[in-house]
Amino acid sequence: MKKLIIQSFIGVLLFFSTWFALAQIDWVSIFNTEKVTDKTEEKLGTLFWDIIKKTEKENKTPSVIATVDTIVNEICVANKIDRKSIKVHIIEKDEINAFALPNGHLIIYTALLANSDSPEELSGVICHEIAHIELNHVLKKLIKEVGISVLISTTTGNRNTEVIQETLKTLSSTAFDRGLEKEADIKAVDYLIKTKINPEAFANFLYKLSDTEKETIKYLTWINTHPESKERAKYIAEYYKKKNTTYAKILNTKTWNKMQEDLKIATQN
Amino acid sequence: MTNTTSFSYEPSEHEAEKASNSYLMSLIALIVGLPLPIINLIATFIFFVGNRKGTYFVRWHCTQALLSQFSILFINSFGFWWTVSIIFTEETISSKYIAYLITALIFNLTEFIATIYTAIQTRKGIHVEWWFYGNLTNLICKSK
């Protein structure tokens, strides 16, 4: 009996050690599975961005671009994210929304900028979207929603405009899975802390928007597509309270106010 | 992995054939059951039930053939459901997954070769005890 137990133990050990040893090899790059998805992602990103570029108006106000760029730069540097991999685009729109497209395209609507009370609030939303990009949630969502075959055929010539439009709509106006949203929220808080931005503003932003009156709710796409804002604000608060960090201001008030003024002028025009 | 020892008596030609068949059965079931691993266990189990009243030699080898399926059942089932989760959920192909598939392949192949070898040997009336499973069978299967 003792021999049997030893033998079964050796058998199990042999299996797991073989698995462990083999797992040390980077099979993914050997079999190029990542390369294929990388290329697909790149093509999809360009495809979607081209559509937005054609149908929507891009905001090119220097102060707006500079402000958002400063925030994104700070976040990327502090979190060792390749800045070039995040391509920020600001779109003139009265919906409070921001979303990520494949290949690191980050779309921010001007209404979100105008409705953020501080650069810290805006940083929270940007961090959340960067987290979706960095955690590869965008492609995962697309694969789940439309299937890998449709995605590959879209990038290899079979350009069904209706399918592309629908897919783009999915990306901009529907939420990720609850689990993925929470993962992105927690990652966003980590990004904020590393950038020395107080995550309280992000939690407050969620509270504030979830309390906004019903008439304006149709414009609050970012909140509508991210349900249970209060619950999110709660777990975000619980998470950051565990960490003791000193925070600093990411932007000076003057720069922030200048951007808000320029935004107002641009909207009036 | 396998150990040839002398059995408590000399099996007859008919017994050797039946005992050898239990391995052939598990071999075929292993091939058929690769996508759905439970199939090979069920098939070998049916064969085992059919021969449970056979002679000691036949019973012994039917039991060893059945028991040897268990480890493969776990390995392949895990691999099967991992693959399903990659296709249908957010799971992605990772180096860990590919390493698991290779490990599973090695273990399946070892089992495959050992099964063929044992089927040939038992057909000749030679008693073959597998590493671990031989001892386990000795514990379970007793001469009346």
Side-chain angles (χ1 to χ4, degrees):
Chain A
M1 191 69 193
K2 201 177 165 191
K3 196 179 167 191
L4 210 64
I5 295 167
I6 296 169
Q7 280 187 341
S8 66
F9 184 71
I10 294 171
V12 173
L13 198 74
L14 193 72
F15 178 81
F16 281 101
S17 49
T18 314
W19 181 17
F20 180 76
L22 284 169
Q24 303 310 307
I25 303 164
D26 188 9
W27 296 104
V28 173
S29 58
I30 292 173
F31 290 119
N32 265 341
T33 57
E34 224 157 43
K35 221 175 180 176
V36 176
T37 45
D38 271 358
K39 255 192 180 157
T40 311
E41 197 176 346
E42 201 184 313
K43 281 185 185 170
L44 282 171
T46 318
L47 200 66
F48 290 137
W49 169 234
D50 282 346
I51 293 176
I52 295 180
K53 213 161 53 178
K54 273 182 208 156
T55 52
E56 310 287 352
K57 193 182 161 206
E58 214 178 333
N59 184 308
K60 289 194 170 157
T61 317
S63 67
V64 177
I65 293 174
T67 310
V68 176
D69 259 352
T70 312
I71 295 174
V72 177
N73 275 343
E74 293 277 338
I75 296 165
C76 286
V77 171
N79 292 285
K80 296 186 178 74
I81 298 166
D82 180 13
R83 175 62 186 87
K84 279 183 204 147
S85 69
I86 314 286
K87 302 149 197 92
V88 186
H89 311 285
I90 299 154
I91 301 293
E92 294 271 357
K93 217 151 186 192
D94 55 3
E95 274 176 40
I96 302 178
N97 199 10
F99 55 91
L101 292 179
N103 201 29
H105 290 275
L106 171 58
I107 313 291
I108 302 170
Y109 287 166
T110 43
L112 174 75
L113 302 177
N115 281 280
S116 305
D117 285 340
S118 67
E120 284 74 21
E121 284 186 0
L122 177 64
S123 304
V125 178
I126 291 177
C127 278
H128 175 90
E129 295 305 326
I130 291 180
H132 277 314
I133 293 170
E134 288 299 303
L135 296 165
N136 201 20
H137 287 173
V138 186
L139 211 60
K140 276 182 189 170
K141 181 185 178 181
L142 277 179
I143 290 170
K144 206 180 161 201
E145 298 281 342
V146 294
I148 188 94
S149 54
V150 175
L151 284 185
I152 292 173
S153 74
T154 311
T155 56
T156 51
N158 180 18
R159 298 205 169 169
N160 186 335
T161 336
E162 237 171 72
V163 174
I164 300 169
Q165 297 269 8
E166 273 305 304
T167 318
L168 183 59
K169 216 171 153 190
T170 311
L171 277 179
S172 67
S173 53
T174 61
F176 288 86
D177 273 356
R178 235 185 138 107
L180 295 188
E181 286 299 347
K182 190 168 180 180
E183 202 186 351
D185 277 337
I186 297 297
K187 190 91 185 160
V189 175
D190 284 335
Y191 286 162
L192 288 168
I193 291 172
K194 275 199 181 151
T195 324
K196 299 211 179 306
I197 303 170
N198 193 348
E200 201 182 341
F202 181 38
N204 288 345
F205 184 69
L206 293 173
Y207 264 125
K208 187 180 77 183
L209 291 192
S210 63
D211 282 341
T212 315
E213 280 172 41
K214 278 200 173 142
E215 299 121 59
T216 53
I217 214 110
K218 64 176 177 174
Y219 296 112
L220 298 175
T221 318
W222 202 77
I223 286 301
N224 285 340
T225 58
H226 291 70
E228 279 97 35
S229 304
K230 275 189 184 159
E231 191 196 316
R232 288 175 63 203
K234 216 170 143 191
Y235 67 61
I236 288 171
E238 273 167 21
Y239 183 72
Y240 75 72
K241 272 174 189 158
K242 283 183 216 152
K243 321 223 165 189
N244 281 325
T245 327
T246 45
Y247 303 109
K249 270 198 136 196
I250 188 162
L251 276 181
N252 61 46
T253 326
K254 213 176 140 191
T255 319
W256 179 255
N257 290 342
K258 170 89 174 83
M259 182 199 80
Q260 291 292 6
E261 274 165 30
D262 288 348
L263 263 179
K264 267 182 207 154
I265 297 164
T267 328
Q268 280 160 7
N269 291 336
Chain B
M1 181 163 169
T2 55
N3 185 22
T4 313
T5 53
S6 56
F7 202 61
S8 53
Y9 66 90
E10 187 73 36
S12 69
E13 174 67 19
H14 178 68
E15 278 181 67
E17 194 185 341
K18 263 200 154 174
S20 172
N21 279 349
S22 65
Y23 291 101
L24 285 182
M25 182 71 194
S26 83
L27 196 70
I28 292 162
L30 193 70
I31 302 165
V32 179
L34 267 181
L36 256 182
I38 194 80
I39 293 174
N40 52 12
L41 186 75
I42 295 168
T44 324
F45 182 70
I46 293 166
F47 198 80
F48 167 78
V49 170
N51 284 295
R52 121 193 105 138
K53 289 201 171 86
T55 62
Y56 182 38
F57 188 74
V58 176
R59 268 191 300 121
W60 198 96
H61 282 281
C62 275
T63 314
Q64 181 169 261
L66 176 73
L67 292 175
S68 65
Q69 300 277 322
F70 276 98
S71 53
I72 291 296
L73 173 82
F74 285 119
I75 296 170
N76 289 7
S77 297
F78 192 72
F80 174 75
W81 289 110
W82 197 344
T83 312
V84 167
S85 72
I86 284 177
I87 299 170
F88 296 105
T89 70
E90 283 134 15
E91 244 337 282
T92 48
I93 294 176
S94 58
S95 289
K96 236 192 223 163
Y97 168 74
I98 298 171
Y100 186 87
L101 285 194
I102 296 169
T103 316
L105 188 81
I106 295 169
F107 276 71
N108 271 280
L109 217 64
T110 317
E111 162 115 10
F112 204 73
I113 294 163
T115 309
I116 294 173
Y117 172 76
T118 318
I120 297 166
Q121 294 304 93
T122 29
R123 182 66 191 84
K124 290 178 195 158
I126 301 165
H127 179 63
V128 180
E129 282 189 14
W130 284 29
W131 186 81
F132 176 66
Y133 290 112
N135 288 331
L136 194 64
T137 313
N138 279 331
L139 250 166
I140 298 167
C141 196
K142 302 267 188 245
S143 64
K144 280 168 192 166

